[in-house]
């Protein structure tokens, strides 16, 4: 039997069932929009960045957040992944917060992810090669990013309101990160380990600080200038740290528990340099940190002069191997050959 579509009740039924059918089809879209209205974080993007860069022999360490500056939307997150063997932290402090020691955190640590809105600090623990740390940024603002271990390793995260458009995409940041990494690792000035003006002088490390739009990066060459030096019994060798920020040590024999302090058999010369004497390759002596003074700033008390030099007198012939107690894992080792 043919249906008479012209009858009003049939038309009404048909239109109702059509509406129902359309609603059923559009139901997933409706729930999607309702969900996004109720939970806007569903729209949030996840960005990627890298921490640090290193040469193949591990000697050159780019102490940097790559890219150094990134623009995201409120609700987005950034995943930082560790590239180098040298450890770092991902740290966001509150405005004017004193920078805490890396052993304390800010205080405490977030294990693998954190949320930062500017009101409470957030930091990762020490991160090692291959480890990741995720930070979610729920509110708009410009946030400084630091590493608690390395000075002059800073960056900025610009968090914009969702209504504002972002200047770059992930592909741009990947490219910038790669360019900044290459620039740090191929910098020729930073690679020049100077030979000391004094006889029997050894430079300890070398480095540079590089300013960027978002903060500063640095490159540190974790090597002794002359890793093997030959002297005679009775001579004194002088080590000088030439890195603008990174501390190093000159350590013969037993490695100390606290690398910052010199061993008890170290004395101070009249010019402020530390001094040790070795009578046998089996003896121990440790410089403690030798490091340039921190940069001064107007309005703050000037920093005391740094102790940048360590001298050791070798009274007996022999082969005396030594390390930097901080960077020996990166291959920072040397040897003094003492002839009669
Ligand atoms: Cu070192």
């Amino acid at each position: 039997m043919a249906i008479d579509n012209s009858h009003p009740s049939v038309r009404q039924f048909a239109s109702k069932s059509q509406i129902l059918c359309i609603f059923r089809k559009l139901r997933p879209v409706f729930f999607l929009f309702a969900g996004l209205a109720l939970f806007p974080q569903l729209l949030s993007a996840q960005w990627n960045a890298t921490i640090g860069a290193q040469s193949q022999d591990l000697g050159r360490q780019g102490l940097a957040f790559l890219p150094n500056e990134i623009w995201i939307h409120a609700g987005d997150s950034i995943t930082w992944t560790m590239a180098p063997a040298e450890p770092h932290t991902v740290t966001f402090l509150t405005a004017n917060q004193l920078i805490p020691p890396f052993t304390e955190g800010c205080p405490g640590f977030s294990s693998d992810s954190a949320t930062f809105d500017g009101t409470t600090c957030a930091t990762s623990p020490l991160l090692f090669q291959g480890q990741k740390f995720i930070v979610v940024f729920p509110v708009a603002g410009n946030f400084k990013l630091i590493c608690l271990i390395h000075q002059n390793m800073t960056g900025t995260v610009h968090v914009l309101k969702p209504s504002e458009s972002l200047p770059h995409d992930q592909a741009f940041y990947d490219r910038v990160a790669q360019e900044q990494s290459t620039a740090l690792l191929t910098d020729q000035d930073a690679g020049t380990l100077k030979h000391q003006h004094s006889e029997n002088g050894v430079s300890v490390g070398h480095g540079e600080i590089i300013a960027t739009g978002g903060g500063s990066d640095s490159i540190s060459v974790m090597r002794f200038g002359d890793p093997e030096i030959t002297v005679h019994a009775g001579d004194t060798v002088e080590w000088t740290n030439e890195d603008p920020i990174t501390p190093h040590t000159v350590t013969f024999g037993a490695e100390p528990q606290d690398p910052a302090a010199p061993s008890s058999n170290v004395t101070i010369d009249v010019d402020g340099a530390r001094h040790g004497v070795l009578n046998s390759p089996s003896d121990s002596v440790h410089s403690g940190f030798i490091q340039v003074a921190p940069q001064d700033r107007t309005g703050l008390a000037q920093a005391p002069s740094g102790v940048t030099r360590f001298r050791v007198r070798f009274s007996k012939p022999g082969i005396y191997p030594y390390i930097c107690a901080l960077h020996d894992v990166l291959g920072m080792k040397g040897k003094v050959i003492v002839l009669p």
Side-chain angles (χ1 to χ4, degrees):
M1 188 179 74
I3 296 171
D4 179 7
N5 285 337
S6 61
H7 193 280
S9 64
V10 172
R11 281 205 305 272
Q12 210 174 11
F13 176 77
S15 64
K16 266 187 191 168
S17 66
Q18 275 168 350
I19 289 167
L20 217 61
C21 181
I22 290 167
F23 176 72
R24 280 203 189 105
K25 280 184 178 160
L26 290 178
R27 193 160 51 181
V29 180
F30 170 76
F31 281 124
L32 178 68
F33 277 105
L36 291 176
L38 288 169
F39 306 102
Q41 64 269 33
L42 291 173
L43 271 174
S44 64
Q46 192 265 304
W47 302 83
N48 293 302
T50 305
I51 312 167
Q54 67 185 6
S55 60
Q56 270 201 319
D57 71 352
L58 316 186
R60 277 172 166 259
Q61 290 290 325
L63 311 172
F65 294 105
L66 305 164
N68 175 279
E69 197 175 14
I70 187 163
W71 286 257
I72 63 169
H73 276 141
D76 290 358
S77 64
I78 304 176
T79 301
W80 278 274
T81 303
M82 275 287 292
E86 174 78 354
H88 297 288
T89 72
V90 170
T91 305
F92 291 88
L93 299 181
T94 55
N96 303 320
Q97 182 178 349
L98 290 182
I99 296 171
F102 74 87
T103 46
E104 286 175 20
C106 70
F109 303 93
S110 302
S111 57
D112 48 24
S113 67
T115 297
F116 184 72
D117 63 6
T119 61
T120 310
C121 71
T123 186
S124 72
L126 283 195
L127 295 172
F128 296 91
Q129 200 163 26
Q131 288 186 310
K132 292 176 188 293
F133 192 71
I134 302 168
V135 182
V136 183
F137 298 89
V139 300
N142 296 299
F143 303 118
K144 185 178 179 181
L145 162 62
I146 67 168
C147 168
L148 291 179
I149 307 174
H150 300 100
Q151 299 168 49
N152 295 99
M153 178 171 166
T154 70
T156 305
V157 178
H158 305 284
V159 184
L160 310 185
K161 289 176 186 159
S163 56
E164 286 160 341
S165 60
L166 298 178
H168 308 296
D169 60 8
Q170 181 66 54
F172 172 86
Y173 293 122
D174 292 345
R175 198 168 62 246
V176 168
Q178 190 54 54
E179 285 167 5
Q180 289 178 343
S181 168
T182 304
L184 285 169
L185 296 180
T186 56
D187 186 295
Q188 289 306 308
D189 296 340
T192 313
L193 284 160
K194 282 183 247 162
H195 290 257
Q196 296 293 299
H197 57 275
S198 63
E199 203 185 352
N200 301 337
V202 178
S203 62
V204 181
H206 192 70
E208 273 183 23
I209 302 167
I210 298 114
T212 72
S216 60
D217 300 338
S218 57
I219 172 80
S220 280
V221 181
M222 313 288 198
R223 287 292 182 267
F224 294 104
D226 295 299
E228 195 174 300
I229 184 171
T230 302
V231 298
H232 288 94
D235 284 350
T236 297
V237 178
E238 179 185 270
W239 285 265
T240 307
N241 186 348
E242 293 182 350
D243 191 293
I245 39 175
T246 302
H248 295 287
T249 79
V250 175
T251 305
F252 290 87
E255 217 171 318
Q257 272 201 317
D258 172 15
S263 53
S264 58
N265 54 349
V266 167
T267 56
I268 307 294
D269 286 344
V270 287
D271 63 359
R274 293 179 186 155
H275 202 137
V277 176
L278 283 176
N279 298 310
S280 155
S282 60
D283 285 354
S284 296
V285 71
H286 169 68
S287 66
F289 283 1
I290 50 172
Q291 184 176 22
V292 75
Q295 190 177 325
D296 286 323
R297 280 167 54 193
T298 304
L300 296 180
Q302 68 167 349
S305 292
V307 177
T308 56
R309 287 210 172 87
F310 184 52
R311 300 182 182 118
V312 176
R313 183 172 170 273
F314 295 86
S315 64
K316 301 255 164 53
I319 295 171
Y320 295 75
Y322 66 95
I323 60 169
C324 167
L326 292 174
H327 306 116
D328 53 330
V329 290
L330 304 175
M332 192 163 178
K333 298 174 180 183
K335 190 188 287 177
V336 179
I337 298 164
V338 183
L339 303 175

